[in-house]
Amino acid sequence: MSAKQAAVTLVQYIVLRGDLLRTHGWPLGAMVAQGCHASMAVLHAHKDDPCVVEYLGDLERMHKVVLEGSGEAELRGLASSLQEVGVAFKLWVEQPENVPTCLATVPGPKASLQGHFKRLKLFK
């Protein structure tokens, strides 16, 4: 892949709360479902965004990065930081428990999004 292609690669970032899995005993399947909920919700809410249209126009080449946040405070802090700089996202709050579980961004150019997530590790 050329540097020019890498600069325009659209990526969706998904951040799951690791504490729900490790400390609160949520099953891995439930965590995967939270990521799916957040991803689908943000794509639907921003379905007319040019980046979303382009991202969904090539289903075989969608790129997602699934990361782990330490807990609710980190997830909310990330949401606040993204909001300040105008990055569209969905903070998924599981109901009826009212528990924030996941954050997913609108797909965007990797080069413009990755800096917001560099301190997070891949979800394992």
Short mmCIF file of all heavy atoms in Angstrom, two decimals, residues 12 33-47 52 89-93 102 104-106:
data_model
loop_
_atom_site.label_atom_id
_atom_site.label_comp_id
_atom_site.label_asym_id
_atom_site.label_seq_id
_atom_site.Cartn_x
_atom_site.Cartn_y
_atom_site.Cartn_z
N GLN A 12 -12.75 2.76 11.47
CA GLN A 12 -13.66 3.00 12.58
C GLN A 12 -12.98 2.49 13.84
O GLN A 12 -12.49 1.35 13.88
CB GLN A 12 -14.99 2.25 12.38
CG GLN A 12 -15.96 2.51 13.51
CD GLN A 12 -17.29 1.81 13.31
OE1 GLN A 12 -17.34 0.67 12.90
NE2 GLN A 12 -18.36 2.52 13.62
N ALA A 33 -21.02 -7.96 21.61
CA ALA A 33 -22.32 -7.38 21.28
C ALA A 33 -22.33 -5.87 21.53
O ALA A 33 -22.90 -5.10 20.74
CB ALA A 33 -23.43 -8.06 22.08
N GLN A 34 -21.68 -5.41 22.60
CA GLN A 34 -21.64 -3.98 22.90
C GLN A 34 -20.93 -3.23 21.78
O GLN A 34 -21.37 -2.16 21.34
CB GLN A 34 -20.94 -3.72 24.23
CG GLN A 34 -21.61 -4.35 25.43
CD GLN A 34 -23.06 -3.97 25.57
OE1 GLN A 34 -23.40 -2.81 25.68
NE2 GLN A 34 -23.94 -4.97 25.55
N GLY A 35 -19.82 -3.79 21.30
CA GLY A 35 -19.11 -3.18 20.19
C GLY A 35 -19.95 -3.12 18.93
O GLY A 35 -19.94 -2.13 18.20
N CYS A 36 -20.68 -4.20 18.67
CA CYS A 36 -21.57 -4.24 17.50
C CYS A 36 -22.67 -3.19 17.62
O CYS A 36 -22.98 -2.50 16.65
CB CYS A 36 -22.18 -5.63 17.34
SG CYS A 36 -20.99 -6.92 16.92
N HIS A 37 -23.27 -3.09 18.80
CA HIS A 37 -24.33 -2.10 19.01
C HIS A 37 -23.82 -0.69 18.73
O HIS A 37 -24.45 0.09 18.00
CB HIS A 37 -24.84 -2.13 20.46
CG HIS A 37 -25.55 -3.37 20.86
ND1 HIS A 37 -26.30 -4.14 20.00
CD2 HIS A 37 -25.65 -3.96 22.08
CE1 HIS A 37 -26.82 -5.16 20.66
NE2 HIS A 37 -26.43 -5.08 21.92
N ALA A 38 -22.68 -0.34 19.31
CA ALA A 38 -22.13 1.00 19.14
C ALA A 38 -21.77 1.28 17.69
O ALA A 38 -22.05 2.35 17.15
CB ALA A 38 -20.91 1.19 20.04
N SER A 39 -21.15 0.30 17.04
CA SER A 39 -20.76 0.46 15.64
C SER A 39 -21.97 0.69 14.75
O SER A 39 -22.00 1.63 13.94
CB SER A 39 -19.98 -0.77 15.18
OG SER A 39 -19.68 -0.68 13.80
N MET A 40 -22.96 -0.15 14.88
CA MET A 40 -24.17 -0.02 14.05
C MET A 40 -24.90 1.29 14.35
O MET A 40 -25.39 1.95 13.43
CB MET A 40 -25.11 -1.21 14.27
CG MET A 40 -24.55 -2.53 13.76
SD MET A 40 -24.26 -2.51 11.98
CE MET A 40 -25.90 -2.24 11.37
N ALA A 41 -24.97 1.66 15.61
CA ALA A 41 -25.69 2.88 15.99
C ALA A 41 -25.05 4.12 15.38
O ALA A 41 -25.75 5.00 14.84
CB ALA A 41 -25.77 3.01 17.52
N VAL A 42 -23.72 4.23 15.45
CA VAL A 42 -23.06 5.42 14.92
C VAL A 42 -23.14 5.44 13.39
O VAL A 42 -23.30 6.50 12.79
CB VAL A 42 -21.61 5.56 15.44
CG1 VAL A 42 -20.65 4.61 14.74
CG2 VAL A 42 -21.13 7.00 15.31
N LEU A 43 -23.05 4.28 12.75
CA LEU A 43 -23.18 4.23 11.29
C LEU A 43 -24.58 4.66 10.86
O LEU A 43 -24.74 5.42 9.90
CB LEU A 43 -22.85 2.83 10.76
CG LEU A 43 -21.39 2.41 10.88
CD1 LEU A 43 -21.23 0.94 10.50
CD2 LEU A 43 -20.48 3.29 10.05
N HIS A 44 -25.58 4.18 11.57
CA HIS A 44 -26.96 4.55 11.22
C HIS A 44 -27.22 6.04 11.47
O HIS A 44 -27.81 6.72 10.64
CB HIS A 44 -27.96 3.70 12.00
CG HIS A 44 -29.38 4.04 11.67
ND1 HIS A 44 -29.95 3.74 10.47
CD2 HIS A 44 -30.32 4.70 12.40
CE1 HIS A 44 -31.19 4.18 10.46
NE2 HIS A 44 -31.44 4.77 11.61
N ALA A 45 -26.76 6.53 12.61
CA ALA A 45 -26.99 7.94 12.96
C ALA A 45 -26.32 8.90 11.98
O ALA A 45 -26.78 10.02 11.81
CB ALA A 45 -26.50 8.20 14.39
N HIS A 46 -25.25 8.45 11.34
CA HIS A 46 -24.49 9.31 10.43
C HIS A 46 -24.47 8.72 9.01
O HIS A 46 -23.51 8.92 8.27
CB HIS A 46 -23.06 9.49 10.96
CG HIS A 46 -23.01 10.17 12.28
ND1 HIS A 46 -23.00 11.54 12.41
CD2 HIS A 46 -23.03 9.67 13.54
CE1 HIS A 46 -22.98 11.86 13.69
NE2 HIS A 46 -23.00 10.75 14.40
N LYS A 47 -25.56 8.06 8.65
CA LYS A 47 -25.59 7.33 7.37
C LYS A 47 -25.38 8.20 6.14
O LYS A 47 -24.98 7.69 5.10
CB LYS A 47 -26.89 6.53 7.25
CG LYS A 47 -28.13 7.39 7.22
CD LYS A 47 -29.38 6.53 7.17
CE LYS A 47 -30.58 7.41 7.27
NZ LYS A 47 -31.42 7.12 8.39
N VAL A 52 -19.02 7.75 5.89
CA VAL A 52 -19.82 6.55 6.15
C VAL A 52 -20.28 5.94 4.82
O VAL A 52 -20.19 4.73 4.63
CB VAL A 52 -21.03 6.87 7.06
CG1 VAL A 52 -21.96 5.67 7.16
CG2 VAL A 52 -20.56 7.30 8.44
N PHE A 89 -19.09 10.31 17.20
CA PHE A 89 -19.01 9.00 17.84
C PHE A 89 -20.34 8.67 18.50
O PHE A 89 -21.21 9.53 18.63
CB PHE A 89 -17.88 8.98 18.89
CG PHE A 89 -18.16 9.91 20.05
CD1 PHE A 89 -18.83 9.47 21.17
CD2 PHE A 89 -17.76 11.24 19.99
CE1 PHE A 89 -19.10 10.34 22.23
CE2 PHE A 89 -18.02 12.11 21.03
CZ PHE A 89 -18.69 11.65 22.16
N LYS A 90 -20.44 7.43 18.94
CA LYS A 90 -21.58 7.00 19.75
C LYS A 90 -21.04 6.37 21.02
O LYS A 90 -20.22 5.45 20.96
CB LYS A 90 -22.43 5.98 18.99
CG LYS A 90 -23.54 5.33 19.80
CD LYS A 90 -24.59 6.32 20.23
CE LYS A 90 -25.72 5.63 21.00
NZ LYS A 90 -26.66 6.59 21.53
N LEU A 91 -21.46 6.89 22.15
CA LEU A 91 -21.16 6.27 23.43
C LEU A 91 -22.34 5.35 23.73
O LEU A 91 -23.45 5.83 23.97
CB LEU A 91 -20.99 7.32 24.53
CG LEU A 91 -20.72 6.77 25.94
CD1 LEU A 91 -19.41 6.00 25.98
CD2 LEU A 91 -20.70 7.92 26.95
N TRP A 92 -22.11 4.04 23.66
CA TRP A 92 -23.20 3.08 23.86
C TRP A 92 -23.41 2.90 25.36
O TRP A 92 -22.47 2.62 26.11
CB TRP A 92 -22.89 1.73 23.22
CG TRP A 92 -24.06 0.82 23.32
CD1 TRP A 92 -24.23 -0.20 24.21
CD2 TRP A 92 -25.24 0.86 22.53
NE1 TRP A 92 -25.45 -0.79 24.03
CE2 TRP A 92 -26.09 -0.16 23.00
CE3 TRP A 92 -25.67 1.66 21.48
CZ2 TRP A 92 -27.34 -0.40 22.43
CZ3 TRP A 92 -26.91 1.42 20.93
CH2 TRP A 92 -27.73 0.40 21.40
N VAL A 93 -24.67 3.08 25.80
CA VAL A 93 -25.04 2.91 27.20
C VAL A 93 -26.05 1.77 27.25
O VAL A 93 -27.17 1.88 26.74
CB VAL A 93 -25.64 4.21 27.79
CG1 VAL A 93 -26.03 4.00 29.25
CG2 VAL A 93 -24.63 5.36 27.65
N CYS A 102 -19.21 1.10 25.69
CA CYS A 102 -18.42 1.12 24.47
C CYS A 102 -18.56 2.47 23.77
O CYS A 102 -19.59 3.14 23.90
CB CYS A 102 -18.93 0.00 23.55
SG CYS A 102 -18.06 -0.15 22.00
N ALA A 104 -17.86 4.06 19.79
CA ALA A 104 -17.48 3.81 18.39
C ALA A 104 -17.51 5.12 17.63
O ALA A 104 -18.44 5.93 17.79
CB ALA A 104 -18.44 2.81 17.74
N THR A 105 -16.50 5.34 16.80
CA THR A 105 -16.44 6.55 16.00
C THR A 105 -17.09 6.33 14.64
O THR A 105 -17.23 5.20 14.17
CB THR A 105 -14.98 6.99 15.73
OG1 THR A 105 -14.33 6.01 14.91
CG2 THR A 105 -14.22 7.19 17.02
N VAL A 106 -17.44 7.43 14.02
CA VAL A 106 -17.77 7.41 12.60
C VAL A 106 -16.46 7.08 11.89
O VAL A 106 -15.40 7.56 12.29
CB VAL A 106 -18.32 8.79 12.15
CG1 VAL A 106 -18.33 8.92 10.64
CG2 VAL A 106 -19.70 9.02 12.72
#
